Amino acid sequence: ETGVTQTPRHLVMGMTNKKSLKCEQHLGHNAMYWYKQSAKKPLELMFVYNFKEQTENNSVPSRFSPECPNSSHLFLHLHTLQPEDSALYLCASSQRASTSGGSSYEQYFGPGTRLTVT
Amino acid sequence: AQSVTQLDSQVPVFEEAPVELRCNYSSSVSVYLFWYVQYPNQGLQLLLKYLSGSTLVKGINGFEAEFNKSQTSFHLRKPSVHISDTAEYFCAVSYYGGSQGNLIFGKGTKLSVKP
């Protein structure tokens, strides 16, 4: 039990569909993150929310739209995706995100959503 | 640019043998260092972390790592592996002055423990 849950665990969608990924953390943390994990590539940070405010967007295409209604919930809305967007999407949380890097706060990860775009 | 290099993408080893997974990072500034493990169909779990103090860090499941500032390395070791250690291992670095989100990950090393 990592304290971070993600639903659904698996998702297959067509390029014209709209779907959402959900993440919930039960750890009392204030920062939440979305990562993309593709085969043979390092983990890619997509978005960071710190105290519900988006503080990082790593040049992610607009077909990915995050939403953080409170410190415990994080969504990733998906629309008109491409096949190359197929990957494992991981959510994580931590005590807080540092404003200048160099954070000692451990990130806790959810099990991920395996997304396949057809 | 700051980066993390895991020199071996795959490491096969027999059960009860020792193992070392290598990690190097590129930076001359202060860093925090982490090792995470990912079992099949699961998220990442923290094994250990170096923040300051003793350069030898002990983690869960019998793993340990040594911070070497001069060589900018943080290699992970275990003296005797078990079948259950089969997983992918990720080294991650947090740099002072880096972006929020904080962690830069290596590409991972797949450890395969054979009976």
Side-chain angles (χ1 to χ4, degrees), chain B residues 25-97:
Chain B
Y25 62 93
S26 63
S27 177
S28 59
V29 301
S30 295
V31 295
Y32 293 129
L33 297 156
F34 304 80
W35 274 100
Y36 285 83
V37 60
Q38 186 177 32
Y39 298 102
N41 301 314
Q42 293 187 30
L44 277 67
Q45 178 185 0
L46 184 73
L47 271 179
L48 49 79
K49 61 183 178 182
Y50 171 78
L51 304 182
S52 64
S54 172
T55 58
L56 184 63
V57 180
K58 293 190 183 298
I60 62 172
N61 301 340
F63 284 92
E64 63 182 31
E66 186 156 20
F67 169 55
N68 187 319
K69 187 174 182 179
S70 62
Q71 297 187 6
T72 60
S73 68
F74 190 54
H75 300 332
L76 181 70
R77 302 186 184 100
K78 186 170 182 178
S80 175
V81 295
H82 302 290
I83 298 286
S84 59
D85 292 322
T86 295
E88 190 160 17
Y89 293 79
F90 293 90
C91 180
V93 182
S94 180
Y95 293 90
Y96 282 115

Side-chain angles (χ1 to χ4, degrees), chain A residues 33-47 58-61 84-90 109, chain B residues 90 103-106:
Chain A
Y33 311 77
W34 278 118
Y35 287 90
K36 177 182 179 183
Q37 186 178 29
S38 306
K40 300 181 181 180
K41 292 176 72 174
L43 232 63
E44 300 172 65
L45 178 67
M46 300 174 73
F47 302 103
N58 272 353
S59 304
V60 180
E84 60 265 28
D85 296 323
S86 298
L88 182 69
Y89 288 84
L90 292 164
F109 285 80
Chain B
F90 293 90
L103 289 180
I104 297 176
F105 285 87

Side-chain angles (χ1 to χ4, degrees), chain B residues 98-109:
Chain B
S99 63
Q100 297 195 40
N102 313 126
L103 289 180
I104 297 176
F105 285 87
K107 290 186 177 182
T109 297

Side-chain angles (χ1 to χ4, degrees), chain A residues 88-115:
Chain A
L88 182 69
Y89 288 84
L90 292 164
C91 173
S93 71
S94 70
Q95 192 86 339
R96 56 186 281 273
S98 168
T99 56
S100 59
S103 174
S104 63
Y105 295 116
E106 171 188 349
Q107 291 186 22
Y108 291 77
F109 285 80
T113 295
R114 175 69 63 186
L115 174 66

Side-chain angles (χ1 to χ4, degrees), chain A residues 29-73:
Chain A
H29 289 162
N30 294 301
M32 296 188 79
Y33 311 77
W34 278 118
Y35 287 90
K36 177 182 179 183
Q37 186 178 29
S38 306
K40 300 181 181 180
K41 292 176 72 174
L43 232 63
E44 300 172 65
L45 178 67
M46 300 174 73
F47 302 103
V48 180
Y49 278 83
N50 203 19
F51 295 91
K52 299 186 297 180
E53 298 294 322
Q54 183 177 319
T55 55
E56 189 88 5
N57 177 339
N58 272 353
S59 304
V60 180
S62 59
R63 57 186 183 269
F64 295 91
S65 174
E67 178 189 1
C68 188
N70 54 61
S71 293
S72 298
H73 294 86

Side-chain angles (χ1 to χ4, degrees), chain A residues 73-87:
Chain A
H73 294 86
L74 184 65
F75 296 89
L76 188 63
H77 304 299
L78 316 171
H79 64 97
T80 59
L81 294 191
Q82 305 298 311
E84 60 265 28
D85 296 323
S86 298

